[in-house]
Amino acid sequence: MPDEAITVLVVDDERIIREGLAAILGVQSGVSVAGTAGDGEEAVDLCLRLRPDVVMLDIRMPRRDGLWTLRELDRRGLLGPGRAQVLVLTTFGLDEYVDRALAAGAAGFLLKSSSYEELTAAVRAAAAGQRTLSPAVTDRIIESHLAARRRPDSGDLARLTGLTARERDVLRLVGDGLSNADIADRLVVSLNTVKTHVSRMLAKTGCQSRAQAAVLARRALR
């Protein structure tokens, strides 16, 4: 396995889906399937042992579901930048889980009907700490859950108090779905400067991913 290969753990209670996803990802250049799991408890155990870069996690499973798994990975210090990035497997029919998964630290979402190219692109983006679905898909999910609660609560506002003006600008643009390169163009700064601002913004707000930061921006900066 090349040193730079992205390691992935596939978690789904349906064996045919689990093995299918592993087979698809296993033949992609620069991607290696570290293992598979059939439920949340097994997934946490394997994350402790294998330390994958990306976890592809089904949201609905018996015993321990995806939400429990996200919380447990976070509790054990296994979730977030520099650790495991979690892609939640979902359908638009399961939208009630999406905002809870974002709040728990999910990096993004995949439809089980995604193409090979979309699966691979999402894994690479998650491993790089980037948004893991096209802005159109992610925006549709986020907007559907935040439309009814546009006014920020005191907790959301408190998370912004340590941000500089420029970090607030970056958070707002992340909420608009812009990539680091797009933000650099918009603010007329270097890409490295944007990466630094994004890193500091995530740390100060307690967000585990850009997707989670996008939700905060849409709650608190609109």
Side-chain angles (χ1 to χ4, degrees), residues 120-148:
T120 306
V123 166
R124 296 189 195 284
Q130 299 171 358
R131 190 167 214 160
T132 57
L133 282 180
S134 68
V137 174
T138 303
D139 288 347
R140 176 177 171 182
I141 294 172
I142 292 172
E143 288 294 341
S144 69
H145 290 280
L146 299 183

Side-chain angles (χ1 to χ4, degrees), residues 22-33:
I24 291 168
L25 294 172
V27 298
Q28 305 303 315
S29 176
V31 177
S32 175
V33 177

